[in-house]
Amino acid sequence: MKIAVLGTGVVGQTLAAKLSELEHEVMIGCRNTTEVLARNKPDNFGRPPFKDWLAKYEDIKLGTFGVAAELGELIINATNGMGTMEALKLAGEKNLSNKIILDVSNPLDFSKGFPPSLFVCNTDSLAEQIQREYPDAKVVKSLNTMNAYVITNPSVVPGDHNVFVNGNDESAKAKVKELLNSFGWKNENIIDMGDIKTARGTEMYVFFWAMLYGTFQTGNFNIKIMK
Amino acid sequence: MKIAVLGTGVVGQTLAAKLSELEHEVMIGCRNTTEVLARNKPDNFGRPPFKDWLAKYEDIKLGTFGVAAELGELIINATNGMGTMEALKLAGEKNLSNKIILDVSNPLDFSKGFPPSLFVCNTDSLAEQIQREYPDAKVVKSLNTMNAYVITNPSVVPGDHNVFVNGNDESAKAKVKELLNSFGWKNENIIDMGDIKTARGTEMYVFFWAMLYGTFQTGNFNIKIMK
């Protein structure tokens, strides 16, 4: 499948690499390709410059948000939550129309350090904002409750544990579940919580996740629902 | 130990019954004993009137918030989150001073139906509000991430799963952990997240819990951290 991965951070990179390995045609979308390729210093987390990472994956293309979204049959929003609405605007409404937007972002604001805060929560969510802004798109929230390494390889965390899916469109959720399967997520570990409003739950969970990250000093964990 | 359980709802009742069974001296605190004992209809959840429940437990006393808090060496806040600050005010600052307040409440507002919202979250928490208002008390947040039946009997949910503890005072947390042990919580399933600020995490988790309650149509579940 042709997949646009919006966002050049660790989540975008890890997803793009995995999708390319799975033989999808992947284009990473960014605001400004020249600027992204000109970066020559490690990022804030000490990862190598984007162009050095990209050089290792000859099948992964880079384009603007608009070019990537036009190509993508499926759009993955892996942008920083703070920049999501602007990125989607640049992607262009016509390039999102009738497509699945798999939203893996979180509305985290780290501008005041740790703990972060959520810039939308409680009575609304980023996923709902996206769905409202692009009513013709099929927004599915998923994979936002764990780090990039667990997202693309659930066996990083031993044993069974869960991933959640939220969205209004059943066929879009079914398609996303297939993608999760291809990452290694078993059907019995995928919990469909319901419509897009339930994304408020998984987005607020991420605040708890961030607190546990502080406690454990690692992000390689996940939760299993016991009942 | 002499324990005051503030709150006459299902959480207060279930905790009081368990603590009495464990041979603690328990007094339930309420705003107005006459009013509580005069209730003669089932509550909103179809449970029998409080006086009928209380009649089954001859060792459990009922008093005002002030009388109960004065008696209690340990204070458990099992009030509705919306009424917590008022209940503690009625309990009286001098009756809370130097005592452990085990806060099991949640800042849930169901006034607009389901899903609820949190009336404090993100940059503050109810537990922090209590600690700020009563700096001489030792506030420990715990047990707010599951329903009353799981709180007092973790085996309601099969297998290992977790309970969280948040608070500034190490000795108070140690005491609460002993109480959790007496309910059946194994040490390895108790996660100390850190200071009282981390209660933001468990309180925001409860929104996710409420969403899952909507999905599962039962509250008899919990999470296990996998790592």
Side-chain angles (χ1 to χ4, degrees):
Chain A
M1 188 168 31
K2 292 175 182 173
I3 301 180
V5 177
L6 309 185
T8 59
V10 62
V11 178
Q13 288 177 20
T14 312
L15 276 165
K18 182 70 179 184
L19 292 165
S20 180
E21 179 194 318
L22 293 169
E23 302 191 340
H24 294 289
E25 187 181 337
V26 180
M27 184 181 282
I28 292 182
C30 65
R31 177 183 292 264
N32 182 324
T33 56
T34 310
E35 185 274 325
V36 167
L37 294 172
R39 290 177 197 160
N40 56 19
K41 287 181 184 159
D43 72 8
N44 290 339
F45 301 95
R47 288 187 305 266
F50 183 82
K51 69 172 185 303
D52 295 353
W53 173 84
L54 188 63
K56 295 188 290 179
Y57 298 92
E58 59 182 22
D59 292 333
I60 299 177
K61 297 186 184 69
L62 179 71
T64 59
F65 287 130
V67 169
E70 188 175 9
L71 173 93
E73 298 161 307
L74 170 77
I75 315 288
I76 300 183
N77 174 37
T79 60
N80 181 318
M82 306 265 287
T84 286
M85 297 313 286
E86 177 67 13
L88 292 176
K89 196 173 167 189
L90 291 168
E93 190 170 359
K94 74 172 192 311
N95 296 325
L96 302 175
S97 186
N98 280 313
K99 293 182 185 171
I100 297 170
I101 301 178
L102 169 54
D103 175 31
V104 306
S105 72
N106 274 306
L108 286 166
D109 178 355
F110 278 99
S111 63
K112 290 176 185 161
F114 188 88
S117 61
L118 302 181
F119 63 79
V120 55
C121 67
N122 206 12
T123 53
D124 197 5
S125 62
L126 186 53
E128 288 168 274
Q129 290 184 342
I130 298 170
Q131 187 63 81
R132 280 200 304 275
E133 189 71 17
Y134 302 98
D136 293 337
K138 297 158 188 165
V139 179
V140 180
K141 187 102 200 179
S142 192
L143 294 168
N144 65 309
T145 56
M146 60 204 74
N147 75 15
Y149 311 109
V150 182
I151 283 177
T152 50
N153 182 9
S155 69
V156 163
V157 174
D160 285 312
H161 44 93
N162 296 113
V163 61
F164 305 90
V165 175
N166 324 80
N168 296 338
D169 189 286
E170 296 304 322
S171 67
K173 287 195 282 193
K175 201 85 187 165
V176 165
K177 286 177 195 171
E178 280 175 29
L179 199 69
L180 300 185
N181 291 154
S182 74
F183 291 173
W185 292 97
K186 297 182 224 168
N187 272 332
E188 62 265 36
N189 290 332
I190 303 173
I191 295 178
D192 183 343
M193 290 179 65
D195 67 16
I196 198 67
K197 192 184 274 185
T198 61
R200 286 180 207 175
T202 52
E203 291 185 12
M204 286 176 81
Y205 164 83
V206 168
F207 189 99
F208 174 66
W209 185 94
M211 285 290 186
L212 285 173
Y213 179 92
T215 303
F216 299 147
Q217 294 292 309
T218 174
N220 288 346
F221 67 88
N222 194 16
I223 55 168
K224 179 180 182 182
I225 305 290
M226 306 290 289
K227 58 178 180 167
Chain B
M1 189 167 32
K2 292 175 180 171
I3 301 180
V5 176
L6 310 184
T8 59
V10 63
V11 178
Q13 288 177 19
T14 312
L15 276 165
K18 182 71 179 182
L19 292 164
S20 181
E21 178 194 318
L22 292 168
E23 301 192 340
H24 294 288
E25 187 180 336
V26 179
M27 184 181 281
I28 292 182
C30 65
R31 178 184 292 263
N32 183 324
T33 56
T34 309
E35 186 275 324
V36 167
L37 293 172
R39 292 177 196 160
N40 55 17
K41 288 183 184 157
D43 71 8
N44 289 340
F45 301 96
R47 286 188 306 264
F50 183 83
K51 68 172 187 305
D52 295 352
W53 172 84
L54 188 64
K56 296 187 291 178
Y57 298 93
E58 60 181 22
D59 292 334
I60 298 177
K61 297 186 185 70
L62 179 70
T64 60
F65 287 131
V67 170
E70 188 176 8
L71 172 93
E73 297 161 308
L74 170 77
I75 315 288
I76 301 182
N77 173 37
T79 60
N80 182 317
M82 306 266 286
T84 286
M85 297 313 285
E86 178 68 11
L88 292 176
K89 195 174 167 186
L90 292 168
E93 189 170 359
K94 72 173 195 310
N95 296 326
L96 303 174
S97 187
N98 280 313
K99 293 181 185 172
I100 298 169
I101 301 178
L102 169 55
D103 175 32
V104 306
S105 72
N106 274 304
L108 287 166
D109 178 357
F110 279 97
S111 63
K112 290 176 184 159
F114 189 89
S117 62
L118 302 181
F119 61 80
V120 55
C121 68
N122 206 11
T123 54
D124 198 3
S125 63
L126 186 54
E128 289 169 273
Q129 290 184 342
I130 298 170
Q131 186 62 82
R132 280 200 305 274
E133 189 72 16
Y134 302 99
D136 294 337
K138 297 158 188 166
V139 179
V140 179
K141 187 102 202 179
S142 192
L143 295 168
N144 64 308
T145 56
M146 62 204 72
N147 76 14
Y149 311 109
V150 183
I151 283 177
T152 51
N153 182 9
S155 69
V156 164
V157 175
D160 285 311
H161 44 92
N162 296 113
V163 62
F164 306 90
V165 175
N166 325 80
N168 296 338
D169 190 285
E170 296 302 322
S171 66
K173 286 195 283 194
K175 203 86 188 163
V176 166
K177 285 176 197 171
E178 281 174 28
L179 199 69
L180 300 185
N181 291 154
S182 74
F183 290 173
W185 292 97
K186 298 183 223 167
N187 273 330
E188 62 264 35
N189 289 334
I190 303 173
I191 296 178
D192 183 343
M193 289 179 66
D195 67 15
I196 197 69
K197 192 184 273 185
T198 62
R200 285 180 206 176
T202 51
E203 290 185 12
M204 287 177 79
Y205 164 83
V206 168
F207 189 99
F208 174 66
W209 185 95
M211 285 290 187
L212 285 174
Y213 178 92
T215 304
F216 299 146
Q217 294 292 307
T218 172
N220 288 345
F221 67 90
N222 194 15
I223 55 168
K224 180 181 182 182
I225 306 289
M226 305 291 288
K227 57 178 180 167

